[in-house]
């Protein structure tokens, strides 16, 4: 049986996570939230006191071993996924700005990206997978049947992020969030390893002026077209 892979890449706050989850339900495919893997690794290395000295050769070696063997579980529960790191429920914690910064640091290190490569590939199981990230189409699943690149202006992404964090009960300032998003975009697009960019054959959607339903319609239209090809 063929395993169909749909990739959704793009910057933070473009709505990727929500849309990827919706597509996975719609097509009854598995879901990979690759950003969560980087967040989990960042959190684990921070908790072990390794992230601060990650440039050190021995620390990096130790961190690669940790990345390869990272003890994580994605437990589906009704509409949500509980994320467990080394026995602790970190579903909420990994979504904080602080852990986002740890993830971004981890994501810039080629050896750590390589250590997560096979773990991501292992998510590809029949009947299909929706993979959400930055380099899903360019690096991890170049064979994907439908490659989508979802973007939005930094301002509209910051607005959405503020609402999301406020809904989680966190007290946040728009200017801080916008600053974080711009800094992260710059790091993610300018890094030499797996920089954030659309695959040459990606379908690009700008969601700045679109709601979730409108983006979903564009995506399913595109995916259905790709799936119907002989
Ligand atoms: O999508 P996110 O905000 O959860 O991602 C967290 C960080 O991990 C972000 O800085 C980008 C990085 N990342 C990456 O480099 N490659 C991926 N496939 C997914 C995330």
């Amino acid at each position: 049986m063929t395993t169909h892979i749909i990739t959704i890449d793009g910057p933070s706050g473009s709505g990727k996570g929500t849309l990827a989850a919706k597509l996975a339900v719609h097509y009854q495919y598995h879901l990979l939230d690759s950003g969560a893997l980087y967040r989990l690794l960042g959190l684990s290395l921070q908790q072990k006191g390794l992230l601060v000295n990650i440039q050190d050769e021995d620390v990096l070696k130790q961190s690669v071993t940790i990345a390869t063997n990272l003890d994580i579980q994605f437990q589906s529960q009704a509409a949500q996924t509980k994320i467990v790191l080394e026995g602790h429920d970190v579903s909420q914690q990994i979504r904080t700005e602080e852990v986002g910064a740890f993830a971004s640091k981890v994501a810039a290190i080629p050896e750590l990206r390589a250590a997560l490569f096979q773990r991501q590939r292992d998510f590809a199981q029949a009947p299909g997978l929706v993979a959400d990230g930055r380099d899903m189409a360019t690096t991890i699943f170049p064979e994907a049947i439908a490659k989508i690149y979802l973007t939005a202006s930094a301002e509209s992404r910051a607005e959405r992020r503020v609402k999301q964090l406020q809904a989680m009960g966190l007290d946040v300032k728009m200017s801080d969030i916008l600053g974080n998003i711009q800094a992260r975009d710059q790091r993610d697009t300018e890094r030499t390893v797996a920089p954030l960019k659309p695959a040459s054959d990606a379908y690009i959607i700008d969601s700045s002026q679109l709601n979730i339903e409108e983006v979903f319609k564009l995506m399913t239209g595109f995916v259905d077209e790709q799936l119907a090809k002989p």
Side-chain angles (χ1 to χ4, degrees):
M1 189 175 184
T2 330
T3 300
H4 294 302
I5 299 169
I6 302 169
T7 56
I8 308 184
D9 292 300
S12 317
S14 57
K16 271 180 313 144
T18 308
L19 267 311
K22 254 177 101 69
L23 284 183
V25 170
H26 180 79
Y27 291 104
Q28 295 276 293
Y29 286 0
H30 300 279
L31 177 66
L32 165 62
D33 171 1
S34 64
L37 293 182
Y38 286 93
R39 287 171 182 268
L40 288 161
L41 180 57
L43 179 60
S44 176
L45 295 181
Q46 172 70 15
Q47 286 172 342
K48 293 178 174 61
L50 298 172
L51 199 55
V52 57
N53 293 318
I54 199 77
Q55 305 304 340
D56 182 288
E57 205 177 308
D58 286 338
V59 172
L60 182 55
K61 249 195 204 156
Q62 207 182 329
S63 301
V64 166
T65 307
I66 290 170
T68 313
N69 301 299
L70 201 61
D71 172 18
I72 49 183
Q73 289 164 38
F74 290 87
Q75 299 171 356
S76 296
Q77 291 184 329
Q80 293 216 323
T81 303
K82 183 166 142 187
I83 302 179
V84 180
L85 171 65
E86 291 150 3
H88 300 281
D89 179 355
V90 293
S91 317
Q92 295 262 334
Q93 194 185 357
I94 61 159
R95 300 300 164 197
T96 59
E97 290 297 299
E98 189 192 19
V99 175
F102 301 157
S104 187
K105 199 164 171 188
V106 160
I109 300 170
E111 290 87 344
L112 295 178
R113 297 195 73 88
L116 293 179
F117 180 84
Q118 194 53 46
R119 196 178 270 262
Q120 295 175 84
R121 294 274 318 168
D122 291 344
F123 276 79
Q125 285 176 21
L129 174 72
V130 180
D132 156 5
R134 302 293 192 288
D135 59 343
M136 297 297 97
T138 52
T139 309
I140 311 294
F141 300 110
E143 77 275 30
I145 189 166
K147 300 176 182 175
I148 299 168
Y149 188 85
L150 182 62
T151 187
S153 69
E155 289 71 18
S156 61
R157 287 185 285 131
E159 243 169 65
R160 289 176 195 160
R161 185 84 183 121
V162 166
K163 280 191 196 143
Q164 231 177 34
L165 293 170
Q166 284 172 343
M168 284 165 61
L170 300 171
D171 182 23
V172 285
K173 271 213 294 247
M174 176 69 185
S175 54
D176 290 347
I177 300 295
L178 182 59
N180 285 350
I181 284 186
Q182 286 166 334
R184 194 173 311 162
D185 278 0
Q186 192 171 359
R187 272 201 302 271
D188 291 345
T189 50
E190 289 178 2
R191 68 172 177 232
T192 45
V193 55
L196 173 63
K197 66 160 198 255
S200 56
D201 51 350
Y203 173 50
I204 300 177
I205 302 174
D206 184 327
S207 72
S208 306
Q209 308 293 331
L210 302 174
N211 64 33
I212 289 174
E213 287 312 321
E214 290 167 327
V215 177
F216 184 68
K217 222 171 142 192
L218 289 176
M219 286 186 173
T220 48
F222 172 68
V223 172
D224 289 344
E225 220 174 87
Q226 298 307 110
L227 289 172
K229 282 187 181 167

